């Protein structure tokens, strides 16, 4: 793990970001004590709003007494995948 003081990190920020993106642990200290770590951002989660909206639409239809393919448990499980 690379441990670097804040004052030095300010001057080397671009380099430290590249190193963190490459998988190296980078810790920045403040007054000699670890304060923060630089870590790469995780891949963005898939936008599943449309899928969730469809599951809720189907559940609303089911609650109105309409018959849907499958059962309530299957519909609920589908929303959890």
């Amino acid at each position: 793990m690379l441990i670097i003081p804040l004052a030095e990190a300010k001057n080397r920020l671009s380099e430290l970001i590249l190193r963190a993106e490459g998988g190296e642990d980078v810790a920045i200290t403040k007054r000699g004590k670890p304060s923060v770590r630089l870590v790469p951002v995780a891949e963005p989660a898939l936008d599943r709003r449309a899928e969730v909206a469809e599951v809720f639409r189907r559940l609303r239809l089911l609650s109105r007494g309409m018959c849907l393919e499958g059962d309530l448990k299957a519909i609920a499980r589908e929303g959890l995948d």
Side-chain angles (χ1 to χ4, degrees), residues 24-59:
E24 187 173 350
D25 285 334
V26 179
I28 299 174
T29 62
K30 194 173 181 180
R31 296 185 183 108
K33 295 183 179 180
S35 180
V36 297
R37 281 184 32 215
L38 293 178
V39 296
V41 175
E43 291 296 318
L46 296 175
D47 186 3
R48 299 185 64 198
R49 285 179 281 194
E51 291 177 51
V52 172
E54 174 61 17
V55 169
F56 279 107
R57 184 192 70 76
R58 292 174 67 190
L59 286 170

